[in-house]
Amino acid sequence: MPDGLWWLPSLLVFAAAAAALVGGVVALRRGGARRERTALAAGAEAEVRAKGLIVRADNAVRDAERELAFAEAQFGVDESRALRGAIDSARAWMREAFILQQRLDDAEVDTAAERRNWTVRIDGLCTSAIGALDDAESALAGRRRVERGAHAELPALRSQADRLARRRVEAESTLGRLATRFAESALATGRGAETRVVAALAAAKVSLDEAEAKLARAEPAAELLGAAGDGLARAGRDLDEIDALELALAKAQSDASEEAAALDGELVAARRERDAQEDPDAAEALGTAIGIGSGAMADRAALAGDPFSDRDRLRACRDRLEVARAAARNAQGRLDGARGALGGAIAIAESQLRVARAAIERGGHPVGADARTRLAEAERQLVIAHQEPDPVAALDAARRATSRASDAEALALYRGL
């Protein structure tokens, strides 16, 4: 190759590289365009479905607006507030859905990703609107079913009120008969129930009369009927309580008799324990409980008209007496235990004293005042242990004597070293 054409091979290489680069870019652009067309075609079905949802949701809003007018006329503005709120929310969602649909329909070129996001958003907005309206309308439909049943419920509640009124008369007669045998304090729960029954029946009658008038005017009455039904149910429970009062009084009388027999037996045993009790505090507490229990037994006649109070008072006396007896047994057990251990404790103290005296005598003059003071205190405590009438105090003194004697021995040995 002539020297003037040395650059020709390089030029050919660069030309080939440029051609390859241009070809690659063109291929990439064509591949991206194909993928974009494929994505747009795939999203077309979803866009069609979203348009159908917009139509359904818009129709649902229009139907709900007409339904709102009927509901407000039938139930009033307050009762229709839930449907109005659902319509307001649905309108807001539909405004956004229409804006997004306009973007899909305009002449501007949008990417497949943008159209997919807008379509998904439209689907969600329309579904939310339709669901909210369906829920509100279902609630209204349930309310209408209740109102339709009110015409059949009213006579049933009237019949229930009449039955309860007859039962109230019978309950009043029962309380009057019981009042000849029992004190008013025993009938307090029954009297309270009777008062509540009278008030509940009166309130139910007012509600039923008002509900009947509303139904005659084709106005909502379910709430009034519900209130009347609740009141009648409460009245029924109170009448059941009155009916059960006579049996409860008989049971209380039986329980009081059993409590009295049990308390009488426990008083006999408690008196024996008190007389044998060595601990003065325990004996005093036991005597107080015995006095209260004996007083309750003596005053039973005054509570004969109120078996509830009689039973409860006897139970309280038994509980107090049991606590006092348990405390007395514990105190006596403590004394008996101390008495049993006292002899051995005194023997140990005397033995330790002998050892301490011997240690001090062996130590002689070098043994100081500390050891001698401990020994003297040990001897004094031993004297107390022999003379103390309280075995617990005597046992404590014997143990202190042993401790002081041990200290004296140790000090004597230390000084003697």
Side-chain angles (χ1 to χ4, degrees), residues 142-160:
R143 179 64 185 275
R144 287 196 176 95
R145 286 194 297 272
V146 171
E147 293 298 338
R148 285 196 298 270
H151 290 279
E153 187 178 5
L154 177 61
L157 290 175
R158 289 282 194 194
S159 178
Q160 183 182 1

Side-chain angles (χ1 to χ4, degrees), residues 5-261:
L5 298 177
W6 61 266
W7 47 269
L8 185 59
S10 298
L11 178 62
L12 292 174
V13 171
F14 284 124
L21 178 61
V22 170
V25 171
V26 170
L28 286 173
R29 288 182 176 179
R30 287 177 179 175
R34 282 196 302 271
R35 287 192 296 272
E36 184 72 9
R37 287 194 299 272
T38 302
L40 288 172
E45 183 178 351
E47 292 179 14
V48 172
R49 186 172 60 252
K51 286 185 177 181
L53 276 174
I54 284 181
V55 174
R56 280 183 56 198
D58 189 50
N59 287 333
V61 172
R62 296 175 188 276
D63 292 341
E65 289 172 344
R66 289 191 292 271
E67 179 66 21
L68 178 62
F70 292 124
E72 290 181 342
Q74 182 179 9
F75 301 115
V77 175
D78 291 339
E79 294 294 331
S80 307
R81 186 177 293 111
L83 179 57
R84 178 175 291 279
I87 291 173
D88 291 341
S89 297
R91 284 173 179 163
W93 291 328
M94 292 308 298
R95 282 195 294 271
E96 183 180 352
F98 284 130
I99 292 173
L100 294 175
Q101 185 60 49
Q102 180 61 41
R103 292 179 184 174
L104 291 173
D105 293 339
D106 60 25
E108 296 183 9
V109 178
D110 304 311
T111 66
E114 289 175 332
R115 298 183 71 86
R116 182 172 58 253
N117 291 337
W118 295 340
T119 301
V120 170
R121 179 60 178 163
I122 291 171
D123 189 300
L125 291 168
C126 293
T127 301
S128 297
I130 293 170
L133 295 173
D134 284 346
D135 290 342
E137 290 177 350
S138 295
L140 276 178
R143 179 64 185 275
R144 287 196 176 95
R145 286 194 297 272
V146 171
E147 293 298 338
R148 285 196 298 270
H151 290 279
E153 187 178 5
L154 177 61
L157 290 175
R158 289 282 194 194
S159 178
Q160 183 182 1
D162 291 340
R163 289 196 303 272
L164 292 175
R166 290 191 294 271
R167 285 187 62 191
R168 187 196 68 78
V169 174
E170 295 172 0
E172 184 178 2
S173 175
T174 298
L175 289 174
R177 177 169 49 81
L178 293 175
T180 62
R181 299 167 47 203
F182 299 100
E184 279 299 315
S185 58
L187 306 179
T189 57
R191 295 296 189 194
E194 181 185 26
T195 300
R196 293 193 297 272
V197 169
V198 172
L201 291 179
K205 183 180 184 305
V206 172
S207 295
L208 291 174
D209 291 343
E210 188 175 349
E212 187 174 10
K214 282 182 172 290
L215 290 175
R217 298 191 299 268
E219 296 178 358
E223 186 173 349
L224 287 169
L225 293 176
D230 292 342
L232 293 175
R234 289 193 298 272
R237 290 192 293 271
D238 285 328
L239 287 169
D240 292 340
E241 184 176 352
I242 296 173
D243 292 341
L245 180 58
E246 188 167 8
L247 288 177
L249 287 166
K251 181 67 166 55
Q253 284 180 319
S254 175
D255 291 344
S257 297
E258 293 177 1
E259 291 289 339

